[in-house]
């Protein structure tokens, strides 16, 4: 009998409920959980493809010491003794943990407890520093606590949704689907997007403000000044429940409308239209994400937004409020346990002596960190200059994701002792570990996560632990015990969760926002069955939909909110040598450093190469051709990417996805170009605004291959590899022509004397095509030319799974184009049903003029719906073209 398990998606902060089914043969499949209040059954493309990412390909299955298989005992003893040695010799601040918003709350709780309460240092920071730190700091400045006031329901109840610095359609797709559904039933609902580029999310908006990078403080200060003199200003709320309005207004009024226009790059008319819409719409939710947080003025941006909501009293009421969209599945849980270096535990402040004493008594711990620890960027600086002697990295890949990534790699390589807990063996960071510990992955691990709306859900295991893999909390607890500490005798995540819940309610009495004291006595059985719930859930209080602050009660000592005077100006990081603004972010179907989504063929088919999005007019000036290769560089680093010319990108700007890394491309770790500039208040690095130079990356020769297995070693100035249904596809750029291509292919792809070889060489055009076959099966097709290879990628990929029975069929592979009886599907748009752009264009020509009609004909867009906006864009484009 197939078994069904209710669990939670391990990707974004929407925190969708998933039902995983394992059939009688052990094969897993997933679907959305209709009963989960985050998604009510919906999933996006990444969630839908989860079952394709849980195979054991590339997994770490055994502990390793210096690259050699080891047993747990030896590995844990070594970790404990190295940490103890460093502490004994150099003090507790000579060690550090760098953890992750992808740890479960229970993992995180144990790590934080060990570092702050037992080792006695606060040198535990997390990739959430790169993600949510400015929101945390902004919340704490305004509210006295790190509280997200609203709920997802507010997105459906709002009449105006402002998406600022958020590409919701790609990064929180299920929230986007919920908003779309609400807009469909109430067409008067308005959406405004604010982003320096026209992201896919802007396609759904009623208004798009193409703001200059980091112009947000000026924009929202202008809004505050506007609101102050308008009917939307809520004098009663401001007087009764807030402090600091006049100063904030004064700071906002230092800029005239013209100054705001100058600083934001937006026309006065556009500004007025937006301000007026905000003023006249009471039910407004302002959603923000990394375009706000990842900035050297990120905390000020957050407070500039919150100021506008406080001034109108539009906070914590149905359909109203500022809404920080969290990135990772457990960014919130990490904040709740105090996983940031400047927090304590259960939302208590590390600077507060009474709080430190309270937590120490609760933990019955020998010591307590007395001051904040090193924040991520400072932590890796301390690794670089030798202050950190032992470092433990868990569930994050800083060699790819930290700014100044080349320096970070060098720092980790030179660190005397590095432990990495991961699920994948070949990540750019795992390669540098002295001790590599196999973690339990999604489907195997068990515990809780908290989503953007403060909802705590269970991640449940439905697969056996592979090899010797163990959950992260167990790694930490075992090392703690071996370091001689009591208080880490946990048998299961339920016990850890209960302790965390108890701490949240300990001496709380309504003084702290985070309180799930009602769960303090939870038994393993009840924990197992626990349904998703929102915090707070105080002991004795009923469960239900929760919002904060409508009553005007904040968590500052006088319970009033603070307006913050924000004066910071946008950073101009460009220069003569680096005249372009580099903006980095995400694409629809990849998750971060691709260690999981890179395994799914259908997720890798949406955008299969690292790219640089650039405005066609800039490209023309720079001599960059469509589909050519470009070098993006500055004094920090240099990457080589495929050019993607698009009007979505403003002039003078270039957008590069954060995902590609040394596992998937020759030289595309874009974080290497990002300076370690941080926000002075939150310590969050600026990952969306740095000056770079863009130029064509001249290549003497280009190649494209489809191959049945993953090549082990690729050497070329440019290569990018992506998984396909039946193998891999590889793009190449060479700095010189290849002499003997057959020999090169055999060597590079490890074919040696295997495979029947067919070749086609066209001397005048210097095009070469080589095929290697095992009977009727294609092993490798390699196409090479002096310019980017023009072969239908999707068609070529399909040849790997097509039996090529006749010599004619095998020769057709060399011809490199679809036969007349086959249609080239074109680049994948719908990854769930593998529908390509050409098929959609064909269906539009055949009379399908709505997304629904396309869905009926091709199925495209009918499963997760993530591609529906792109389909709509294609239909609109075709119809426009037809009309012209
Ligand atoms: N598909 C996918 N989804 C994800 C993830 C993923 O890896 N892949 N990761 C998850 C995580 S951890 C996070 S943090 C979230 C991030 O979710 P988002 O923040 O929505 O994603 P980003 O693409 O990083 O950036 C959002 C937008 O900010 C814009 N931006 C850049 N600079 C500025 C600026 O100065 N002002 C304004 N207003 N906008 C600016 C960018 O152009 C970009 O379109 O996504 C989560 N969801
Ligand atoms: N250029 C640029 N850089 C960025 C950003 C950007 O917008 N631009 N965004 C930043 C943001 S918001 C974020 S959140 C970070 C994300 O950056 P990272 O956290 O570095 O990226 P991930 O690929 O999610 O890394 C997670 C690692 O944990 C492993 N893993 C998965 N599950 C488990 C598990 O259960 N246990 C253990 N121990 N390991 C596991 C994965 O294999 C992977 O190696 O990137 C940041 N860096
Ligand atoms: S929106 Fe997609 S990635 Fe995010 S939690 Fe839901 S299914 Fe997972
Ligand atoms: Mo993030």
């Amino acid at each position: 009998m197939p078994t069904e398990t209710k669990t939670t998606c391990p990707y974004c902060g929407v925190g969708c409920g998933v039902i995983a089914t394992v059939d009688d043969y052990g094969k897993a499949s997933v679907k959305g959980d209709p009963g989960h209040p985050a998604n009510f059954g919906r999933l996006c493309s990444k969630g839908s493809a989860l079952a394709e990412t849980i195979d054991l390909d590339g997994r770490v299955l055994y502990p390793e010491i210096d690259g050699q298989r080891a047993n747990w005992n030896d590995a844990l003893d070594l970790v404990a003794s190295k940490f103890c040695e460093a502490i004994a010799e150099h003090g507790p601040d000579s060690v550090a943990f760098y953890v992750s918003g992808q740890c479960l709350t229970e993992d995180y709780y144990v790590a934080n407890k060990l570092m702050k309460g037992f080792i006695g240092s606060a040198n535990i920071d997390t990739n959430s520093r790169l993600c949510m730190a400015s929101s945390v700091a902004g919340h704490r400045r305004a509210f006295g606590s790190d509280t997200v006031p609203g709920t997802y329901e507010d997105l459906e109840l709002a009449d105006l949704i402002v998406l600022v610095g958020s590409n919701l359609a790609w990064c929180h797709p299920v929230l986007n689907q919920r908003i779309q559904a609400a807009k469909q039933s109430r067409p008067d609902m308005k959406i405004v997007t604010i982003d320096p580029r026209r992201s896919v999310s802007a396609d759904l908006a009623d208004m798009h403000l193409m703001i200059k990078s980091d112009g947000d403080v000026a924009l929202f200060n202008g809004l505050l000044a506007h609101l102050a003199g308008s009917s939307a200003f809520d004098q009663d709320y401001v007087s009764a429940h807030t402090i600091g309005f006049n100063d904030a207004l004064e700071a906002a009024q230092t800029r005239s409308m013209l100054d705001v226009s100058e600083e934001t790059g937006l026309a006065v008319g556009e500004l007025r239209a937006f301000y007026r819409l905000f003023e006249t719409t009471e039910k407004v939710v302002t959603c923000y994400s990394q375009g706000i947080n990842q900035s050297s003025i990120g905390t000020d941006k957050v407070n500039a937004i919150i100021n506008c909501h406080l001034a109108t009293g539009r906070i914590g009421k149905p359909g109203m409020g500022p809404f920080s969209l969290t990135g990772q599945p457990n960014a919130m849980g990490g904040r709740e346990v105090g996983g940031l270096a400047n927090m304590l535990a259960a939302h208590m402040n590390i600077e507060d002596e009474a709080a430190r004493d309270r937590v120490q008594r609760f933990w019955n711990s020998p010591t307590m960190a007395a001051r904040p620890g090193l924040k991520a960027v400072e932590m890796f600086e301390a690794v670089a200059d030798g202050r950190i002697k032992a470092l433990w990295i868990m569930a994050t890949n800083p060699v790819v994701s930290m700014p100044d990534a080349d320096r970070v790699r060098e720092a980790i390589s030179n660190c005397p002792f590095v432990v990495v807990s991961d699920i994948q063996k070949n990540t750019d960071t795992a390669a540098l570990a002295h001790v590599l510990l196999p973690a339990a992955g999604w489907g195997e691990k068990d515990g809780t996560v908290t989503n953007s709306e403060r909802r705590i859900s269970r991640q449940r295991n439905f697969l056996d632990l592979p090899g010797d893999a163990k959950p992260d909390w167990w790694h930490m607890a075992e090392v703690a015990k071996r370091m001689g500490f009591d208080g880490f005798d946990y048998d299961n995540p339920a016990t850890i969760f209960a302790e965390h819940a108890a701490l949240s309610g300990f001496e709380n009495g309504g003084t702290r926002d985070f309180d799930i004291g009602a769960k303090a006595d939870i038994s393993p059985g009840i924990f197992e069955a626990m349904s998703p719930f929102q915090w707070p859930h105080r002991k004795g209080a009923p469960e239900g939909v929760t919002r904060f602050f409508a009553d005007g009660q904040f968590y500052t000592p006088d319970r009033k909110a603070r307006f913050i005077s924000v004066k910071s100006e946008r950073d101009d990081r460009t220069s003569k040598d680096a005249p372009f603004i580099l903006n980095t972010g995400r694409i629809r179907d990849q998750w971060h450093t691709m260690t999981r989504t890179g395994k799914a063929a259908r997720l890798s088919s949406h955008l299969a190469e690292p790219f640089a999005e650039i405005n066609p007019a800039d490209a023309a000036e720079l001599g960059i051709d469509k589909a050519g290769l470009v070098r993006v560089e500055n004094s920090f680093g240099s990457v080589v990417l495929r050019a993607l010319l698009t009007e979505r990108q403003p002039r003078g700007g270039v957008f590069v996805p954060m995902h590609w890394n040394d596992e998937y491309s020759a030289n595309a770790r874009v974080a290497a170009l990002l300076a370690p500039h941080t926000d002075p208040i939150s310590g969050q690095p600026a990952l969306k605004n740095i000056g770079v130079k863009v130029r064509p990356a001249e290549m003497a020769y280009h190649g494209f291959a489809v191959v049945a297995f993953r090549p082990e070693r690729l050497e070329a100035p440019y290569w990018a590899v992506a998984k396909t249904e039946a193998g891999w596809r590889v793009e190449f750029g060479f700095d010189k022509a290849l002499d003997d291509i057959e020999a090169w292919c055999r060597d590079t792809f490890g074919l040696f004397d295997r495979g029947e070889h067919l070749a086609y060489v066209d001397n005048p055009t210097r095009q070469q095509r080589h095929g290697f076959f095992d009977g009727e099966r294609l092993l490798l097709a390699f196409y090479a030319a002096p310019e980017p290879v023009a072969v239908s990628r999707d068609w070529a990929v399909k040849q790997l799974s097509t039996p090529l029975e006749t010599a004619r069929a095998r020769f057709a592979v060399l011809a490199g184009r679809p036969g007349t009886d086959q249609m080239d599907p074109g680049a994948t748009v719908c990854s769930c049903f593998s529908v390509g752009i050409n098929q959609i264009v064909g269906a539009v020509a055949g009379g399908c003029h709505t997304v629904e009609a396309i869905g009926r004909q091709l199925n495209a867009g009918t499963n997760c719906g993530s591609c529906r906006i792109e389909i709509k864009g294609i239909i609109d484009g075709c119809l426009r073209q037809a009309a012209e």
Side-chain angles (χ1 to χ4, degrees):
M1 268 294 285
T3 49
E4 285 197 344
T5 307
K6 286 192 172 185
T7 181
T8 312
C9 175
Y11 296 124
C12 84
V14 179
C16 295
V18 169
I19 298 179
T21 310
V22 180
D23 70 15
D24 295 345
Y25 305 97
K27 193 172 168 349
S29 59
V30 299
K31 61 180 185 219
D33 178 356
H36 196 288
N39 56 319
F40 299 106
R42 300 174 175 96
L43 289 181
C44 76
S45 48
K46 293 180 300 302
S48 307
L50 268 169
E52 289 153 51
T53 59
I54 51 180
D55 60 42
L56 297 186
D57 240 20
R59 284 288 298 268
V60 204
L61 295 173
Y62 306 98
E64 285 182 10
I65 299 176
D66 294 326
Q68 301 299 315
R69 180 169 169 176
N71 63 41
W72 269 112
N73 242 332
D74 292 348
L76 294 167
D77 281 346
L78 182 64
V79 175
S81 68
K82 288 286 187 183
F83 271 76
C84 285
E85 265 169 41
I87 294 163
E89 243 178 83
H90 305 282
D93 287 335
S94 68
V95 301
F97 295 165
Y98 184 59
V99 299
S100 161
Q102 292 166 75
C103 293
L104 300 179
T105 298
E106 294 70 22
D107 307 322
Y108 236 136
Y109 178 84
V110 178
N112 187 57
K113 178 177 174 181
L114 171 58
M115 185 52 89
K116 294 197 180 126
F118 289 77
I119 291 175
S121 164
N123 282 349
I124 170 167
D125 212 39
T126 131
N127 62 0
S128 283
R129 180 72 55 196
L130 318 181
C131 185
M132 303 316 306
S134 296
S135 279
V136 175
H139 288 154
R140 292 177 75 205
R141 285 206 298 188
F143 309 146
S145 57
D146 174 21
T147 318
V148 173
T151 70
Y152 292 162
E153 198 185 32
D154 294 328
L155 301 173
E156 287 154 341
L157 298 173
D159 294 319
L160 168 61
I161 291 185
V162 180
L163 295 176
V164 52
S166 152
N167 185 6
L168 196 79
W170 277 7
C171 297
H172 298 91
V174 165
L175 290 186
N176 186 59
Q177 290 178 33
R178 286 181 65 166
I179 293 174
Q180 288 316 306
K183 192 168 159 69
Q184 210 155 26
S185 64
R186 289 191 297 117
D188 285 346
M189 180 176 175
K190 295 273 186 293
I191 299 174
V192 175
T193 47
I194 306 171
D195 193 310
R197 66 191 184 115
R198 211 186 147 81
S199 73
V200 174
S201 303
D203 293 359
L204 301 168
D206 299 279
M207 183 188 290
H208 176 64
L209 302 179
M210 208 158 188
I211 195 169
K212 274 190 200 165
S213 293
D214 283 340
D216 309 86
V217 169
L219 178 72
F220 282 89
N221 262 351
L223 177 60
L224 185 70
H226 175 92
L227 293 171
S230 81
S231 59
F233 180 61
D234 189 340
Q235 181 69 62
D236 292 345
Y237 190 89
V238 169
S239 315
H241 303 304
T242 70
I243 284 179
F245 174 72
N246 290 335
D247 289 346
L249 181 61
E250 208 176 296
Q253 284 172 334
T254 53
R255 285 190 185 93
S256 69
M257 264 309 242
L258 281 177
D259 296 335
V260 177
S261 167
E262 166 67 20
E263 180 99 343
T264 58
L266 300 168
V268 170
E270 282 180 290
L271 290 169
R272 288 230 163 87
F274 169 57
Y275 290 172
R276 184 99 190 106
L277 188 60
F278 196 104
E279 174 200 333
T280 54
T281 317
E282 191 189 13
K283 289 193 172 176
V284 47
V285 178
T286 309
C287 298
Y288 55 94
S289 193
Q290 299 316 340
I292 294 297
N293 293 335
Q294 286 173 343
S295 157
S296 53
I297 56 170
T299 309
D300 275 0
K301 291 190 188 187
V302 170
N303 287 109
I305 293 167
I306 294 175
N307 283 348
C308 295
H309 281 270
L310 288 174
T312 48
R314 294 171 184 167
I315 187 165
K317 299 175 193 152
M320 306 177 210
F323 206 136
S324 146
L325 298 168
T326 57
Q328 298 179 89
N330 202 28
M332 292 283 270
R335 286 146 71 171
E336 288 149 26
V337 303
L340 290 161
N342 56 325
M343 298 294 291
L344 184 51
H347 279 199
M348 283 180 264
N349 297 337
I350 198 163
E351 294 89 354
D352 177 353
E353 198 182 335
R356 292 201 302 269
D357 173 64
R358 183 182 307 121
V359 177
Q360 187 168 2
R361 279 186 286 115
F362 181 87
W363 280 341
N364 193 17
S365 75
T367 171
M368 183 56 74
R371 55 176 189 280
L374 298 169
K375 298 178 178 139
V377 170
E378 301 164 340
M379 184 182 279
F380 285 98
E381 276 164 9
V383 174
D385 65 25
R387 276 174 288 155
I388 299 296
K389 316 286 181 200
L391 172 68
W392 191 341
I393 298 167
M394 180 174 269
T396 175
N397 194 358
V399 168
V400 185
S401 55
M402 278 291 293
D404 207 2
D406 288 345
R407 241 65 62 202
V408 167
R409 172 156 61 189
E410 198 181 306
I412 299 174
S413 327
N414 292 330
C415 183
F417 187 66
V418 179
V419 188
V420 173
S421 294
D422 205 292
I423 56 167
Q424 291 296 113
K425 201 173 153 76
N426 295 321
T427 77
D428 293 10
T429 303
L432 309 178
H434 297 107
V435 177
L436 179 58
L437 300 178
W442 183 78
E444 302 148 8
K445 59 183 186 175
D446 195 69
T448 58
V449 290
T450 311
N451 74 3
S452 294
E453 60 163 356
R454 288 175 281 105
R455 192 177 298 280
I456 298 178
S457 297
R458 291 273 285 109
Q459 256 195 35
R460 293 188 177 87
N461 56 331
F462 55 90
L463 300 166
D464 294 334
L465 288 173
D468 281 354
K470 291 281 193 183
D472 290 300
W473 63 262
W474 187 89
H475 301 190
M476 281 281 167
E478 284 302 308
V479 167
K481 285 191 259 183
R482 283 158 211 256
M483 290 175 78
F485 298 130
D486 291 332
F488 292 89
D489 263 326
Y490 302 111
D491 292 331
N492 50 49
T495 334
I496 306 171
F497 179 79
E499 183 179 314
H500 163 61
L503 175 56
S504 75
F506 185 58
E507 299 176 0
N508 186 326
T511 55
R512 307 194 302 268
D513 64 337
F514 179 66
D515 186 345
I516 52 167
K519 307 281 185 196
D521 304 316
I522 198 163
S523 65
I526 305 222
F527 180 75
E528 181 48 44
M530 190 167 80
S531 305
F533 71 99
Q534 264 185 317
W535 65 257
H537 190 192
R538 301 182 197 274
K539 205 169 200 138
E543 235 181 87
V545 173
T546 62
R547 290 187 180 86
F548 280 92
F549 308 144
D551 60 358
Q553 294 298 300
F554 295 86
Y555 290 92
T556 51
D558 55 17
R559 313 248 31 185
K560 291 187 177 180
R562 300 289 185 270
F563 279 93
I564 306 295
S565 304
V566 286
K567 300 187 183 120
S568 49
E569 292 182 6
R570 66 178 291 272
D571 265 328
D572 183 359
R573 300 282 183 192
T574 57
S575 64
K576 199 165 82 14
D577 296 333
F580 278 78
I581 298 175
L582 169 67
N583 175 9
T584 68
R586 290 155 173 78
I587 63 168
R588 191 187 79 191
D589 286 358
Q590 291 296 348
W591 176 260
H592 294 165
T593 70
M594 304 168 71
T595 66
R596 286 173 288 164
T597 42
K599 289 172 138 191
R602 62 176 157 137
L603 295 182
S604 301
S605 60
H606 181 233
L607 291 161
E609 270 186 284
F611 59 86
E613 244 179 306
I614 174 166
N615 187 286
D618 284 334
E621 270 177 23
L622 295 167
I624 293 168
D625 298 329
K626 187 169 165 233
L629 291 169
V630 289
R631 186 174 287 281
V632 182
E633 62 195 344
N634 62 14
S635 59
F636 291 88
S638 158
V639 287
V640 182
L641 313 157
R642 184 74 60 191
L644 185 66
L645 311 190
T646 144
E647 302 280 355
R648 291 182 177 280
Q649 195 55 32
R651 299 247 7 216
V654 52
F655 177 83
V656 178
M658 64 167 291
H659 309 289
W660 273 268
N661 54 73
D662 293 356
E663 272 193 273
Y664 286 92
S665 189
N667 181 14
R669 281 162 45 253
V670 72
L673 276 63
L674 297 168
H677 295 142
T678 56
D679 177 282
I681 300 146
S682 67
Q684 178 155 357
L687 304 176
K688 297 210 168 344
N689 180 2
I690 187 78
V692 290
K693 182 172 169 180
V694 183
R695 61 185 170 95
E698 304 287 358
M699 295 289 162
Y701 217 49
H702 294 260
F704 170 67
V706 291
V707 53
F709 39 82
R710 188 178 166 146
E712 266 182 27
R713 172 183 49 86
L714 291 168
E715 277 163 23
Y718 178 77
W719 57 260
V721 48
K723 184 96 175 60
T724 69
E725 266 333 312
W728 297 81
R729 53 184 275 189
V730 197
E731 302 282 346
F732 292 96
F734 302 101
D735 48 7
K736 51 182 189 306
L738 302 170
D739 314 328
D740 180 348
I741 292 193
E742 182 190 348
W744 181 87
C745 282
R746 288 197 183 276
D747 181 44
T748 299
F749 295 97
L751 286 169
F752 307 107
D753 30 353
R754 207 149 70 94
E756 177 202 352
H757 176 230
L758 293 179
Y760 164 84
V761 178
D762 184 50
N763 283 327
T765 61
R766 294 176 52 226
Q767 291 206 23
Q768 294 215 17
R769 285 146 187 223
H770 294 254
F772 296 80
F773 302 87
D774 179 9
E776 54 189 47
R777 179 168 163 244
L778 175 65
L779 296 175
L780 165 71
F782 181 75
Y783 308 87
E787 60 287 325
V789 172
V791 163
S792 161
R793 300 317 193 241
D794 301 275
W795 174 84
V797 156
K798 287 222 161 51
Q799 304 315 302
L800 287 173
S801 51
T802 311
L804 304 162
E805 286 157 10
T806 59
R808 190 159 165 253
R810 292 194 282 280
F811 268 112
V813 171
L814 298 193
R817 50 179 178 268
T820 45
D821 55 338
Q822 290 163 26
M823 175 175 173
D824 173 10
T828 304
V829 176
C830 167
S831 34
C832 293
F833 292 108
S834 299
V835 181
I837 186 167
N838 295 347
Q839 290 167 282
I840 296 171
V841 170
V844 179
C848 300
H849 290 178
T850 61
V851 177
E852 286 68 32
I854 296 281
R856 279 192 299 274
Q857 175 132 350
L858 300 171
N859 281 334
T862 57
N863 182 40
C864 78
S866 301
C867 60
R868 290 170 68 88
I869 316 168
E870 278 156 281
I871 296 176
K872 181 162 183 307
I874 296 166
I875 299 172
D876 292 350
C878 292
L879 296 181
R880 226 179 7 249
Q881 227 171 22
E884 273 162 13

